[in-house]
Amino acid sequence: ATGYFPIKLRGAIIPVTRFGSMLAMPLFFIGLLMTGFMNIDPVVGQYLMFGGIALFSLSTLFQLVTLPVEFNASSRALRTLEDSGMLYGEEISGAKQVLSAAAMTYVAALASSLASLLRLIIIASGSSNRRR
């Protein structure tokens, strides 16, 4: 919908999240190698790992911002289908189930992103504890 704040916010953060998602994992793994395996510079390695985590968190933020956008889109689509008279009775019920399932895929994507973010934090924390 025109003027819908969550879609404007999502559009505004897309360039930053693309940049972050491209660099997050390489930065994290370089830091992990420096900290845990190569003994080059554990402090720099920690900064690189946490920098990678910060960049990865941008994609998690994008997933979070996308949720209301997708739920709103599904709701508007259902309303349009009902108001236009394109669907009747059980068809509306079926469309509602399909649109709800489609929106729930974004909930699953957010859950997956949160789990990956937590995993990176745990790995980085374990790496810093091992160096002490």
Side-chain angles (χ1 to χ4, degrees):
T2 307
Y4 184 56
F5 177 73
I7 203 161
K8 286 183 175 183
L9 178 60
R10 186 177 83 164
I13 66 173
I14 284 175
V16 176
T17 58
R18 282 188 182 164
F19 174 76
S21 66
M22 284 190 315
L23 291 180
M25 288 304 180
L27 202 60
F28 181 85
F29 285 116
I30 290 168
L32 184 63
L33 287 172
M34 288 177 73
T35 303
F37 302 106
M38 299 168 79
N39 282 331
I40 295 174
D41 191 345
V43 174
V44 172
Q46 284 292 310
Y47 281 120
L48 290 175
M49 280 194 296
F50 285 108
I53 290 170
L55 290 174
F56 186 84
S57 69
L58 293 173
S59 65
T60 304
L61 174 66
F62 178 78
Q63 296 292 335
L64 180 65
V65 170
T66 297
L67 279 181
V69 172
E70 293 304 325
F71 277 101
N72 180 269
S74 292
S75 145
R76 286 185 298 112
L78 186 61
R79 231 174 311 145
T80 299
L81 290 170
E82 287 179 285
D83 294 346
S84 70
M86 292 169 70
L87 302 178
Y88 300 99
E90 286 183 30
E91 292 175 326
I92 292 173
S93 175
K96 184 175 183 176
Q97 287 178 335
V98 168
L99 289 170
S100 293
M104 291 304 287
T105 62
Y106 290 90
V107 173
L110 175 61
S112 174
S113 186
L114 285 169
S116 294
L117 182 60
L118 180 61
R119 186 175 126 250
L120 292 176
I121 292 168
I122 290 169
I123 291 169
S125 296
S127 176
S128 67
N129 289 337
R130 191 175 37 219
R131 300 296 304 160
R132 290 181 186 168

